[in-house]
Every structure is written in C-alpha cells, then in structure tokens.
Amino acid sequence: MLGLIYKKANNLGYKTAKRRFVLELRELITGIMIVFSGGDPLNVFKT
C-alpha cells in the first residue's frame, strides 16, 4: 500500500517507484540505526 501511495505522489511507474521507495526506506532505517548507536549519519551519507 505504501508503494502505491509513493508511486501516486511522485508520478512514477510502478517499478521505478518500488525501487526508489526501497532505497529511501533502507537509507532512513540505516540513518536511524546509526543515530541510536551514537554515530552521526551525516558522516556516513556524504555524497
């Protein structure tokens, strides 16, 4: 259901929306884990 909402909100095709949703969710969860372990997510996600 969240994937369909993401697809609709971003005007994407289903496969693109699914891939981007998973990537953003993975980055969010990783950032939360880094913060809870006492780290700084800004040092990890430098682009």
Side-chain angles (χ1 to χ4, degrees), residues 8 22 34 38-39 41:
K8 182 82 169 171
V22 169
I34 291 168

Side-chain angles (χ1 to χ4, degrees), residues 30-40:
T30 303
I32 291 170
M33 289 173 36
I34 291 168
V35 169
F36 281 143
S37 64
D40 183 8

Side-chain angles (χ1 to χ4, degrees), residues 17-46:
K18 181 180 172 187
R19 184 177 65 243
R20 285 183 57 190
F21 180 75
V22 169
L23 290 173
E24 289 184 25
L25 185 61
R26 183 181 299 147
E27 185 175 311
L28 177 65
I29 291 171
T30 303
I32 291 170
M33 289 173 36
I34 291 168
V35 169
F36 281 143
S37 64
D40 183 8
L42 295 177
N43 291 334
V44 177
F45 295 123
K46 291 181 181 176

